[in-house]
Amino acid sequence: MAVYKQTYKGYEGRRTASWSRFLVLTRYSYARLFQSKFLVLFMAVCLFFPVGCAIFVYLSHNSPVLDVLRLRSGAMPEVDGQFFYVYCMVQGTMAFLLTTLVGPSLIAPDLANGAMSLYLSRPFSRTQYVVGKMTVLLALLSLITWVPAALLYLIQVGCVGWSWAQSHAWLAGSILVGLWVWIVILSLIALALSAWVKWKIAAGALILGVFFGGAGFGAAINAILRTRYGSLIDLTQVIHTIWADLFRHSLVVTDLSVEEAWSTLGVSCALCLWLLAKRVRAFEVVK
Amino acid sequence: MQAIIELAGLKVRFGKQEILKDLTIGLSGRTIGLLGPNGAGKSTLIQTLLGFCPVAAGTATVLGYDIRRQTREVRALVGYMPENDSFIANMSAVSFIRMMGELSGLPADAALERAHEVLFYVGLGEARYRTLGTYSLGMKQMAKLAQALIHGPRLLILDEPTNGLDPSARRRMLRLIRDIRDAGQIHILLCSHLLRDVEETCEEVLILKEGQIVYYSDLVQEHKNNQRFVEIETSGPDRGLAEALVDLGCTCTAQGAGRLKMVVPDHFELRDIFRVAADLDLPLRRLNYRRDTLEDIFLKAMEA
């Protein structure tokens, strides 16, 4: 339809594949998010530690450089489960901070502006909507968590050789599972809270509250009731238990067993999905 | 003619409350008006057709597709303009409309081209790069219409499109609806409280009350066969005027306090009314000759 004609004309052209449409939401969300210079800067800051780790891994296997720096190769810590456990702690915290920055603005504005009926009146399902929004977080968090970790692993393999890769194959699996579990739970909590409160500032505060408030409240329950089950609501302790198990780090002692930690994560995921299913709707029935 | 919307014993419940009660009808007009008082179930019917509300019993088809089993196909063919504010405040109109087009399956470049076109079409061409949050109410309504048109739907569902518009914006909206109707490519389902809007744009009208169909009318046919009416008001009680007019072959309804409404049969001379009144020595205070309007139809349906 030419602009000057100003008459209505239908569309008979090609249509995209239905399965790929969730990526439209992801693309537009990125376009909006990266208008913020602060976010770009924060993403860059999040990569400082992995870059430092990469330098460390390279140096620890490079005797001439160590000699120049007057360091002994035996004095350098080993790249093992403990090394990646520390990596997960640092990058896991950065991932959490990035989630509090990005997560609240994903669903809350759509609900506050009543845009949900526009999305869902199209050949576009609620599942696709949630997957589209979740992909925004998963991809961002991947960039600062398991992707650099996998690169570190590969650098280590490159420096030491395939024998190390064979004896430490479990470590690759632990890196992927440990960090994916963390970014999935972070994304689900951020989306669920963003959908629940509709107001992004409140959603951001709630995400912080779930982790810090949960830790404080859990410790209080443990102290008052003289139990250890208060730690079940402390998600940081839950994930540390899982990481310690995955990275075979025997020095980390938590109040929870591994089974309890996995069960807590499962329940948390189920709760978030239930909340999303309740809130991501085209309309609300007011009782 | 294939029915655009076909309802067969459609029931919708929210909890224990039945919102739509056994609706059965086939609608095939190019523009269908959906009328009813608040809480009649108009918006619920629209949301059910879009697959938002679960169907408790019965079936419904839109353009031949079952709303329960073929929801995706139905949504691909429908453009929906909701009643309430629905947009993303910090997006420009053109990127918002483009995104909606892409979600409907248009490739990115085609969606961008169509977004510009529909925004010009609805009269927002000059304001298309402004963020939606800065739009006036009338402009937001137009933007909502644009997003409903971007993917070239075959059925356009408009929920209160003239809500909150000033007279000139309302006229512009109605002109657009008529223009879309006359282009002949889209069927329109228009839900409105404003009878005048429906009368100006629709060919068929469906009136709902308490979740039930109380009236259905083909307005085009109705206008063709429109019966003439005379409203009579007498000084004091009508003293048998209604009976005398019925004897002359008219259909008469007493509306109380000396007021009558009568359907004038063909070949009836209006002077006969004066003659009968003179015979009864009954002074007439007012005699108003007119045709039935949608408002009359609506009020009659509400009284039923």
Side-chain angles (χ1 to χ4, degrees):
Chain A
M1 176 170 64
V3 164
Y4 65 86
K5 283 185 182 165
Q6 297 265 315
T7 51
Y8 178 75
K9 195 179 163 195
Y11 175 76
E12 300 296 335
R14 187 175 66 85
R15 305 252 171 185
T16 54
S18 170
W19 66 266
S20 66
R21 287 181 203 160
F22 74 92
L23 291 170
V24 173
L25 277 188
T26 311
R27 188 156 50 81
Y28 278 90
S29 296
Y30 281 138
R32 262 190 300 154
L33 285 172
F34 283 106
Q35 283 173 353
S36 158
K37 285 177 186 152
F38 179 74
L39 184 72
V40 178
L41 192 70
F42 188 79
M43 283 290 291
V45 169
C46 288
L47 294 171
F48 283 178
F49 185 72
V51 170
C53 288
I55 294 168
F56 169 81
V57 172
Y58 176 74
L59 282 181
S60 61
H61 299 291
N62 198 320
S63 305
V65 180
L66 284 178
D67 288 341
V68 172
L69 296 172
R70 293 177 185 175
L71 292 168
R72 283 183 298 115
S73 59
M76 299 291 275
E78 255 189 81
V79 178
D80 55 5
Q82 195 173 341
F83 173 85
F84 280 104
Y85 176 81
V86 174
Y87 172 91
C88 285
M89 295 258 285
V90 175
Q91 287 309 98
T93 308
M94 299 311 270
F96 165 68
L97 293 175
L98 186 61
T99 306
T100 55
L101 266 178
V102 174
S105 64
L106 289 178
I107 296 185
D110 288 344
L111 283 167
N113 290 316
M116 214 53 87
S117 58
L118 297 184
Y119 290 120
L120 302 180
S121 63
R122 291 162 201 286
F124 189 72
S125 66
R126 293 198 296 161
T127 312
Q128 279 179 308
Y129 176 84
V130 173
V131 170
K133 293 288 183 181
M134 199 165 165
T135 307
V136 177
L137 271 175
L138 289 179
L140 276 182
L141 298 179
S142 293
L143 270 180
I144 63 161
T145 54
W146 68 268
V147 172
L151 286 174
L152 286 178
Y153 183 87
L154 290 177
I155 292 170
Q156 171 72 3
V157 171
C159 292
V160 181
W162 281 108
S163 58
W164 187 89
Q166 280 165 349
S167 61
H168 290 80
W170 62 272
L171 197 51
S174 299
I175 290 167
L176 287 180
V177 173
L179 289 169
W180 262 104
V181 164
W182 182 232
I183 65 174
V184 166
I185 192 76
L186 280 178
S187 305
L188 278 175
I189 288 174
L191 290 184
L193 294 178
S194 175
W196 189 35
V197 293
K198 283 192 190 179
W199 187 35
K200 64 181 187 180
I201 296 170
L206 260 180
I207 295 169
L208 289 170
V210 164
F211 286 89
F212 291 116
F217 202 56
I221 291 173
N222 285 348
I224 294 165
L225 301 177
R226 292 179 185 174
T227 174
R228 60 183 183 84
Y229 290 109
S231 304
L232 287 173
I233 57 168
D234 179 0
L235 284 175
T236 48
Q237 196 164 149
V238 168
I239 198 68
H240 286 169
T241 309
I242 289 171
W243 283 342
D245 177 56
L246 285 172
F247 293 108
R248 301 177 187 176
H249 193 344
S250 53
L251 295 177
V252 178
V253 181
T254 61
D255 294 334
L256 301 170
S257 69
V258 178
E259 292 76 21
E260 284 166 345
W262 279 108
S263 308
T264 307
L265 279 190
V267 170
S268 306
C269 286
L271 261 175
C272 292
L273 289 172
W274 174 78
L275 206 55
L276 283 168
K278 290 284 280 181
R279 300 296 295 178
V280 178
R281 286 175 183 274
F283 70 101
E284 281 181 274
V285 178
V286 180
K287 288 184 182 172
Chain B
M1 191 191 289
Q2 191 208 358
I4 304 307
I5 296 168
E6 194 146 24
L7 314 177
L10 184 75
K11 286 182 186 174
V12 172
R13 282 195 198 99
F14 288 156
K16 285 178 185 168
Q17 198 179 353
E18 198 164 78
I19 308 294
L20 297 180
K21 299 167 187 166
D22 204 16
L23 304 186
T24 302
I25 198 162
L27 302 165
S28 54
R30 184 140 298 275
T31 41
I32 303 154
L34 190 56
L35 290 171
N38 290 331
K42 304 184 297 290
S43 295
T44 307
L45 177 57
I46 287 176
Q47 285 167 349
T48 307
L49 294 178
L50 286 165
F52 297 163
C53 299
V55 174
T59 57
T61 58
V62 174
L63 297 159
Y65 291 103
D66 188 292
I67 60 162
R68 279 203 279 194
R69 283 178 288 120
Q70 293 164 302
T71 315
R72 196 172 272 273
E73 285 83 352
V74 170
R75 289 177 184 171
L77 295 172
V78 170
Y80 173 50
M81 176 186 173
E83 178 186 2
N84 51 343
D85 262 1
S86 309
F87 56 88
I88 297 163
N90 55 359
M91 270 182 112
S92 73
V94 74
S95 30
F96 174 68
I97 307 290
R98 181 191 184 189
M99 179 174 80
M100 290 297 155
E102 286 185 58
L103 289 176
S104 294
L106 272 65
D109 49 350
L112 179 61
E113 193 182 330
R114 289 271 308 170
H116 284 285
E117 285 174 358
V118 289
L119 283 166
F120 269 101
Y121 179 63
V122 300
L124 293 176
E126 299 301 320
R128 65 193 190 280
Y129 291 113
R130 269 172 59 186
T131 53
L132 288 160
T134 65
Y135 273 19
S136 67
L137 185 62
M139 292 165 91
K140 282 176 189 166
Q141 291 287 85
M142 290 302 180
K144 278 197 290 178
L145 178 63
Q147 65 77 32
L149 289 172
I150 174 87
H151 56 295
R154 281 183 54 206
L155 172 66
L156 185 62
I157 299 180
L158 307 173
D159 197 353
E160 308 281 359
T162 55
N163 235 8
L165 297 184
D166 63 42
S168 64
R170 179 181 159 270
R171 250 199 322 273
R172 220 169 32 245
M173 177 65 83
L174 292 179
R175 184 178 53 75
L176 271 173
I177 295 171
R178 280 195 298 269
D179 187 58
I180 294 164
R181 177 193 67 190
D182 296 340
Q185 298 175 40
I186 301 187
H187 294 270
I188 298 172
L189 176 65
L190 173 73
C191 172
S192 179
H193 282 104
L194 302 172
L195 305 177
R196 188 91 191 270
D197 292 357
V198 173
E199 202 164 25
E200 280 184 36
T201 50
C202 294
E203 293 170 0
E204 282 183 15
V205 64
L206 180 70
I207 302 178
L208 295 180
K209 184 185 174 187
E210 292 168 1
Q212 288 173 312
I213 296 170
V214 287
Y215 192 83
Y216 164 77
S217 168
D218 184 338
L219 284 181
V220 179
Q221 200 60 36
E222 189 92 9
H223 280 141
K224 275 185 199 159
N225 319 330
N226 202 348
Q227 292 168 311
R228 297 172 300 159
F229 286 94
V230 173
E231 286 173 330
I232 303 166
E233 195 174 331
T234 60
S235 294
D238 65 36
R239 298 206 303 263
L241 179 64
E243 289 80 5
L245 291 171
V246 169
D247 290 343
L248 289 174
C250 304
T251 309
C252 229
T253 51
Q255 295 179 311
R259 280 185 297 181
L260 299 172
K261 189 171 179 183
M262 77 176 239
V263 179
V264 183
D266 290 340
H267 316 299
F268 181 84
E269 294 286 329
L270 284 180
R271 71 181 63 166
D272 287 344
I273 298 172
F274 294 105
R275 188 177 52 74
V276 172
D279 290 348
L280 294 169
D281 192 21
L282 185 67
L284 297 181
R285 183 182 286 166
R286 190 170 65 90
L287 193 143
N288 190 16
Y289 173 77
R290 67 189 186 96
R291 283 173 180 271
D292 216 352
T293 62
L294 186 57
E295 192 176 346
D296 296 312
I297 294 171
F298 181 78
L299 291 174
K300 220 180 330 176
M302 288 304 103
E303 283 162 14

